[in-house]
Amino acid sequence: MSVASAPAAPPPRELTIALVGNPNTGKSTLFNALSGMNARVGNFPGCTVEKKTGRFQLGGKAATLVDLPGTYSLSPRSADEMVSVEVLLGRVADLPRPDVVICIVDASNLERNLYLFSQLLDLGLPVVLCLNMADVAERRGVKFDPAALSQRLGVPVVTTSAHKRAGVQELEQAILRAAESPVRRGSIFPEPFTREVQLLGEWFAKHKLTVPEYLVERTLLDIGGESEHRFIEQAPLELPAYLAGARERLAQAGCRVPAVETRIRYGWIRQQLEGVYERPDDSQRETATDRIDRVLTGKVTGLTIFAGLMLTVFVTLFILAEPLMGAIEGLQGWLGGLVESVMSPGTLRSLIVDGLIAGVGSVVVFVPQIALLFLFIALMEDCGYMARAAFLMDKLMTKIGLSGKSFLPLMSSFACAIPGVMATRVIENRRDRMVTMLIAPLMSCSARLPVYILLIAAFVPPVRLGGWLPAQGFTLFAMYLVGIVVAVPVAWILKKTFFPGETPPFVMELPEYKWPSPWLVLARVWDRVKAFLGEAGTLIFCTSVIVWALGYFPENHTAQLALQSQLAVLEEVPEEQQDTAKIEEVQGELNAESGRLIEASYLGRMGHAIEPLVRPVGWDWKIGMGVISSFPAREVIIGTLGTIYSLGGEVDEEDEGLRTALQEATWQGTERKVFNLPVALSLMVFFALCAQCAATLMVIRRETNSWRWPIFTFVYMTALAYAGAFVTYRVAGMFFATVT
């Protein structure tokens, strides 16, 4: 007799946990304490808001932790700010509604932090209140009773010191309890307000709109907010009139919108904290942070220290990263040489060496700058200095419509726009973040420097302007200045057109200074590097391979392969027995053949096709093709010009042969020189303003989660660069050469 086996128990349901809190409450530290390094960083669909999720085990169950952006309230004023609300309401496609919300607050400042907590209760979700930085609160003399506070609020209350990993286990147990406990809910608003919310909900239902109760409240409370904006687009035209009438009725009942929310919530918070939370009056007590701030935020000392620190960051990114980048390029060359030593010349070898290895190298070479920049950012954020830096620079940046937090990304872009664009994540305000991101590529990065050096050395005479100012040095300085000067009106135009609205007041909490957590700092650096390699790196790699294919096909490379094989045989002979003259002869033939092939390639044909467009700025098809080929990276134009002028693709900006070739180049079929000072200046201005950097555009794509903005950046910067090159060529031609 057989006995049927009992059906296997279903696996425990995976928990989704949302982490919410004010800025500077240790939210990121707690996220890493719970999830470790098992984090994924991306963007929520269709917006610039970062999505950071981590997976971990919680009481034998798999759990996903969602780290929402730091915020002081859940009153969305823009589409990006609405994302957190939509995640909490379960309205985001790739995330279930959270089973539990952890509200992390600064234990030493509960009255302000509980404003956000009170809004979370309105969502009807299980909430755990995490009083973080409990050790700091105790040092300040703050006294509180977590058990009594939990009884009053009706939610689990846990004290933690996340940077010491203290209280993390208790927090995990509280999460499990909250997930299994019923939600206690009741409105803290007076009856006239709850009645108007009910009536507005019925109005939405009547017009066949399914609106969660929390968004009904926000539509009523947030005048001109994102909820009102969205439902006006969906609902009939009567909604604005209905809202105006409802708000008028509330004003007559003593519940004037929006002031009623602040009054009611803070009144409720004071009532909950009475007798269970005591904060000493420290208005007369000077803390260590106060003493440090007298120096670091002083008008003279603060700016001096900030300038020194920014110089350190800039030098590190611009100079100290160079050996690491050189090592990566050396490894790339070694791998390419290894492949060439074991494979015969041909399309496959060219694909591997010039396409795949070069493509991977074009991605990895940015890692040192990205890692170093985010190391500085993480250190400054975690120790509390980043807020002071933004405070110091806000007055200057406000003059161009940006905030103080825009300074670091823009300055970093002088080394490389990629980490500069990624660094805009320190800017909470979406308008400022987007404008900073779109003007960051205007800063002259290190990739433009080889182009400047080559053209200045070849065409700017080594004279002194006015008898004392070196013309070559001044020209280099002017190229760096071009981007800065142009960025100001561009930022103003972007603010007035694509990102209109009033500039919000600069409000920033200055956290207490503390020693940075090595674990948190390294985790942030790793997150950024991993995000760059995993997403933007793939697109950069694909772009590099596509440009290789455009420069290789469709011509027959038989003659080139034969010359490469012949050269390899000649070079295999011991050095003392080599026929140097023959090697030089074959190398010259190979360079000439390579030049012919690239002219006949799809890339060369594109250069010929755009020649009518670039002639007005003084360029021929060769310069036009060089500009197209430099799309993966600006400095690629030097190798392309070397190939076009039969010098080989290995030349650099210091190569005398390339400088001579440019000086002697003539228009096809004539003896008229292609290059002169106006042409060189127009080409440099074009590179100073253009978006010839696929890597930067791909990072903008990743940061905005949309193709719209990288395409916009490419179009506006290319148009700007062309206009700048045209004006430069024509004006310079009036003074230095005859322009035709």
Side-chain angles (χ1 to χ4, degrees), residues 355-375:
L356 303 182
I357 294 177
V360 171
S362 68
V363 174
V364 179
V365 74
F366 294 112
V367 168
Q369 288 183 329
I370 292 170
L372 285 169
L373 175 62
F374 281 100
L375 176 63

PDB file of all heavy atoms in Angstrom, residues 355-375:
ATOM      1  N   GLY A 355      39.094  46.497 -32.834  1.00  0.00           N
ATOM      2  CA  GLY A 355      37.691  46.614 -32.458  1.00  0.00           C
ATOM      3  C   GLY A 355      37.434  46.218 -31.020  1.00  0.00           C
ATOM      4  O   GLY A 355      37.090  47.045 -30.182  1.00  0.00           O
ATOM      5  N   LEU A 356      37.648  44.916 -30.701  1.00  0.00           N
ATOM      6  CA  LEU A 356      37.284  44.410 -29.379  1.00  0.00           C
ATOM      7  C   LEU A 356      38.216  44.904 -28.277  1.00  0.00           C
ATOM      8  O   LEU A 356      37.769  45.470 -27.275  1.00  0.00           O
ATOM      9  CB  LEU A 356      37.255  42.876 -29.406  1.00  0.00           C
ATOM     10  CG  LEU A 356      36.313  42.240 -30.435  1.00  0.00           C
ATOM     11  CD1 LEU A 356      36.336  40.724 -30.328  1.00  0.00           C
ATOM     12  CD2 LEU A 356      34.897  42.767 -30.249  1.00  0.00           C
ATOM     13  N   ILE A 357      39.530  44.678 -28.441  1.00  0.00           N
ATOM     14  CA  ILE A 357      40.476  45.085 -27.391  1.00  0.00           C
ATOM     15  C   ILE A 357      40.484  46.602 -27.240  1.00  0.00           C
ATOM     16  O   ILE A 357      40.462  47.136 -26.126  1.00  0.00           O
ATOM     17  CB  ILE A 357      41.892  44.552 -27.693  1.00  0.00           C
ATOM     18  CG1 ILE A 357      41.900  43.022 -27.615  1.00  0.00           C
ATOM     19  CG2 ILE A 357      42.911  45.139 -26.730  1.00  0.00           C
ATOM     20  CD1 ILE A 357      43.226  42.384 -27.970  1.00  0.00           C
ATOM     21  N   ALA A 358      40.496  47.319 -28.369  1.00  0.00           N
ATOM     22  CA  ALA A 358      40.455  48.781 -28.303  1.00  0.00           C
ATOM     23  C   ALA A 358      39.138  49.260 -27.697  1.00  0.00           C
ATOM     24  O   ALA A 358      39.110  50.244 -26.945  1.00  0.00           O
ATOM     25  CB  ALA A 358      40.638  49.375 -29.698  1.00  0.00           C
ATOM     26  N   GLY A 359      38.039  48.556 -27.995  1.00  0.00           N
ATOM     27  CA  GLY A 359      36.741  48.930 -27.438  1.00  0.00           C
ATOM     28  C   GLY A 359      36.691  48.749 -25.934  1.00  0.00           C
ATOM     29  O   GLY A 359      36.218  49.624 -25.203  1.00  0.00           O
ATOM     30  N   VAL A 360      37.193  47.602 -25.468  1.00  0.00           N
ATOM     31  CA  VAL A 360      37.242  47.370 -24.021  1.00  0.00           C
ATOM     32  C   VAL A 360      38.164  48.396 -23.358  1.00  0.00           C
ATOM     33  O   VAL A 360      37.851  48.957 -22.297  1.00  0.00           O
ATOM     34  CB  VAL A 360      37.709  45.938 -23.713  1.00  0.00           C
ATOM     35  CG1 VAL A 360      37.969  45.762 -22.221  1.00  0.00           C
ATOM     36  CG2 VAL A 360      36.676  44.926 -24.195  1.00  0.00           C
ATOM     37  N   GLY A 361      39.306  48.652 -23.991  1.00  0.00           N
ATOM     38  CA  GLY A 361      40.241  49.631 -23.443  1.00  0.00           C
ATOM     39  C   GLY A 361      39.630  51.011 -23.342  1.00  0.00           C
ATOM     40  O   GLY A 361      39.873  51.740 -22.373  1.00  0.00           O
ATOM     41  N   SER A 362      38.807  51.398 -24.329  1.00  0.00           N
ATOM     42  CA  SER A 362      38.193  52.727 -24.313  1.00  0.00           C
ATOM     43  C   SER A 362      37.191  52.872 -23.179  1.00  0.00           C
ATOM     44  O   SER A 362      36.833  53.994 -22.801  1.00  0.00           O
ATOM     45  CB  SER A 362      37.488  52.994 -25.651  1.00  0.00           C
ATOM     46  OG  SER A 362      36.363  52.146 -25.819  1.00  0.00           O
ATOM     47  N   VAL A 363      36.734  51.745 -22.622  1.00  0.00           N
ATOM     48  CA  VAL A 363      35.836  51.770 -21.470  1.00  0.00           C
ATOM     49  C   VAL A 363      36.630  51.783 -20.166  1.00  0.00           C
ATOM     50  O   VAL A 363      36.463  52.642 -19.301  1.00  0.00           O
ATOM     51  CB  VAL A 363      34.878  50.554 -21.494  1.00  0.00           C
ATOM     52  CG1 VAL A 363      34.056  50.509 -20.215  1.00  0.00           C
ATOM     53  CG2 VAL A 363      33.975  50.610 -22.712  1.00  0.00           C
ATOM     54  N   VAL A 364      37.543  50.811 -20.036  1.00  0.00           N
ATOM     55  CA  VAL A 364      38.260  50.618 -18.769  1.00  0.00           C
ATOM     56  C   VAL A 364      39.186  51.793 -18.466  1.00  0.00           C
ATOM     57  O   VAL A 364      39.460  52.090 -17.300  1.00  0.00           O
ATOM     58  CB  VAL A 364      39.049  49.291 -18.816  1.00  0.00           C
ATOM     59  CG1 VAL A 364      39.824  49.066 -17.521  1.00  0.00           C
ATOM     60  CG2 VAL A 364      38.098  48.124 -19.052  1.00  0.00           C
ATOM     61  N   VAL A 365      39.667  52.483 -19.499  1.00  0.00           N
ATOM     62  CA  VAL A 365      40.625  53.566 -19.283  1.00  0.00           C
ATOM     63  C   VAL A 365      40.032  54.691 -18.430  1.00  0.00           C
ATOM     64  O   VAL A 365      40.773  55.447 -17.786  1.00  0.00           O
ATOM     65  CB  VAL A 365      41.119  54.115 -20.641  1.00  0.00           C
ATOM     66  CG1 VAL A 365      40.042  54.964 -21.313  1.00  0.00           C
ATOM     67  CG2 VAL A 365      42.403  54.911 -20.476  1.00  0.00           C
ATOM     68  N   PHE A 366      38.699  54.808 -18.368  1.00  0.00           N
ATOM     69  CA  PHE A 366      38.084  55.859 -17.565  1.00  0.00           C
ATOM     70  C   PHE A 366      37.950  55.482 -16.089  1.00  0.00           C
ATOM     71  O   PHE A 366      37.638  56.333 -15.256  1.00  0.00           O
ATOM     72  CB  PHE A 366      36.684  56.202 -18.107  1.00  0.00           C
ATOM     73  CG  PHE A 366      36.702  56.833 -19.473  1.00  0.00           C
ATOM     74  CD1 PHE A 366      36.197  56.160 -20.573  1.00  0.00           C
ATOM     75  CD2 PHE A 366      37.228  58.099 -19.656  1.00  0.00           C
ATOM     76  CE1 PHE A 366      36.209  56.738 -21.829  1.00  0.00           C
ATOM     77  CE2 PHE A 366      37.241  58.688 -20.906  1.00  0.00           C
ATOM     78  CZ  PHE A 366      36.733  58.002 -22.002  1.00  0.00           C
ATOM     79  N   VAL A 367      38.139  54.217 -15.760  1.00  0.00           N
ATOM     80  CA  VAL A 367      37.901  53.753 -14.392  1.00  0.00           C
ATOM     81  C   VAL A 367      38.746  54.495 -13.356  1.00  0.00           C
ATOM     82  O   VAL A 367      38.229  54.877 -12.295  1.00  0.00           O
ATOM     83  CB  VAL A 367      38.087  52.229 -14.299  1.00  0.00           C
ATOM     84  CG1 VAL A 367      38.134  51.770 -12.846  1.00  0.00           C
ATOM     85  CG2 VAL A 367      36.963  51.523 -15.043  1.00  0.00           C
ATOM     86  N   PRO A 368      40.059  54.723 -13.574  1.00  0.00           N
ATOM     87  CA  PRO A 368      40.829  55.439 -12.543  1.00  0.00           C
ATOM     88  C   PRO A 368      40.247  56.805 -12.200  1.00  0.00           C
ATOM     89  O   PRO A 368      40.138  57.160 -11.018  1.00  0.00           O
ATOM     90  CB  PRO A 368      42.220  55.570 -13.183  1.00  0.00           C
ATOM     91  CG  PRO A 368      42.322  54.415 -14.114  1.00  0.00           C
ATOM     92  CD  PRO A 368      40.942  54.257 -14.676  1.00  0.00           C
ATOM     93  N   GLN A 369      39.855  57.591 -13.214  1.00  0.00           N
ATOM     94  CA  GLN A 369      39.293  58.911 -12.926  1.00  0.00           C
ATOM     95  C   GLN A 369      37.960  58.805 -12.203  1.00  0.00           C
ATOM     96  O   GLN A 369      37.689  59.552 -11.252  1.00  0.00           O
ATOM     97  CB  GLN A 369      39.128  59.710 -14.218  1.00  0.00           C
ATOM     98  CG  GLN A 369      40.451  60.189 -14.807  1.00  0.00           C
ATOM     99  CD  GLN A 369      40.248  61.044 -16.049  1.00  0.00           C
ATOM    100  OE1 GLN A 369      39.298  60.851 -16.796  1.00  0.00           O
ATOM    101  NE2 GLN A 369      41.139  61.984 -16.277  1.00  0.00           N
ATOM    102  N   ILE A 370      37.114  57.877 -12.633  1.00  0.00           N
ATOM    103  CA  ILE A 370      35.816  57.702 -11.982  1.00  0.00           C
ATOM    104  C   ILE A 370      35.998  57.270 -10.538  1.00  0.00           C
ATOM    105  O   ILE A 370      35.374  57.813  -9.613  1.00  0.00           O
ATOM    106  CB  ILE A 370      34.967  56.680 -12.763  1.00  0.00           C
ATOM    107  CG1 ILE A 370      34.564  57.260 -14.122  1.00  0.00           C
ATOM    108  CG2 ILE A 370      33.734  56.269 -11.971  1.00  0.00           C
ATOM    109  CD1 ILE A 370      33.927  56.258 -15.053  1.00  0.00           C
ATOM    110  N   ALA A 371      36.864  56.283 -10.310  1.00  0.00           N
ATOM    111  CA  ALA A 371      37.083  55.776  -8.959  1.00  0.00           C
ATOM    112  C   ALA A 371      37.662  56.858  -8.052  1.00  0.00           C
ATOM    113  O   ALA A 371      37.220  57.033  -6.908  1.00  0.00           O
ATOM    114  CB  ALA A 371      37.999  54.558  -8.998  1.00  0.00           C
ATOM    115  N   LEU A 372      38.638  57.610  -8.549  1.00  0.00           N
ATOM    116  CA  LEU A 372      39.262  58.646  -7.725  1.00  0.00           C
ATOM    117  C   LEU A 372      38.279  59.770  -7.408  1.00  0.00           C
ATOM    118  O   LEU A 372      38.234  60.272  -6.273  1.00  0.00           O
ATOM    119  CB  LEU A 372      40.496  59.205  -8.431  1.00  0.00           C
ATOM    120  CG  LEU A 372      41.726  58.289  -8.428  1.00  0.00           C
ATOM    121  CD1 LEU A 372      42.788  58.822  -9.386  1.00  0.00           C
ATOM    122  CD2 LEU A 372      42.302  58.161  -7.024  1.00  0.00           C
ATOM    123  N   LEU A 373      37.491  60.194  -8.401  1.00  0.00           N
ATOM    124  CA  LEU A 373      36.535  61.263  -8.146  1.00  0.00           C
ATOM    125  C   LEU A 373      35.523  60.837  -7.091  1.00  0.00           C
ATOM    126  O   LEU A 373      35.232  61.581  -6.145  1.00  0.00           O
ATOM    127  CB  LEU A 373      35.817  61.664  -9.436  1.00  0.00           C
ATOM    128  CG  LEU A 373      34.695  62.700  -9.245  1.00  0.00           C
ATOM    129  CD1 LEU A 373      35.251  64.005  -8.692  1.00  0.00           C
ATOM    130  CD2 LEU A 373      33.955  62.946 -10.543  1.00  0.00           C
ATOM    131  N   PHE A 374      34.959  59.635  -7.237  1.00  0.00           N
ATOM    132  CA  PHE A 374      33.947  59.214  -6.283  1.00  0.00           C
ATOM    133  C   PHE A 374      34.540  58.834  -4.936  1.00  0.00           C
ATOM    134  O   PHE A 374      33.826  58.836  -3.923  1.00  0.00           O
ATOM    135  CB  PHE A 374      33.099  58.086  -6.879  1.00  0.00           C
ATOM    136  CG  PHE A 374      32.065  58.616  -7.826  1.00  0.00           C
ATOM    137  CD1 PHE A 374      32.267  58.583  -9.191  1.00  0.00           C
ATOM    138  CD2 PHE A 374      30.919  59.214  -7.339  1.00  0.00           C
ATOM    139  CE1 PHE A 374      31.339  59.115 -10.066  1.00  0.00           C
ATOM    140  CE2 PHE A 374      29.980  59.749  -8.199  1.00  0.00           C
ATOM    141  CZ  PHE A 374      30.185  59.699  -9.564  1.00  0.00           C
ATOM    142  N   LEU A 375      35.833  58.544  -4.903  1.00  0.00           N
ATOM    143  CA  LEU A 375      36.503  58.392  -3.620  1.00  0.00           C
ATOM    144  C   LEU A 375      36.490  59.729  -2.876  1.00  0.00           C
ATOM    145  O   LEU A 375      36.151  59.792  -1.682  1.00  0.00           O
ATOM    146  CB  LEU A 375      37.935  57.903  -3.827  1.00  0.00           C
ATOM    147  CG  LEU A 375      38.798  57.792  -2.568  1.00  0.00           C
ATOM    148  CD1 LEU A 375      38.211  56.761  -1.610  1.00  0.00           C
ATOM    149  CD2 LEU A 375      40.234  57.431  -2.929  1.00  0.00           C
TER     150      LEU A 375
END
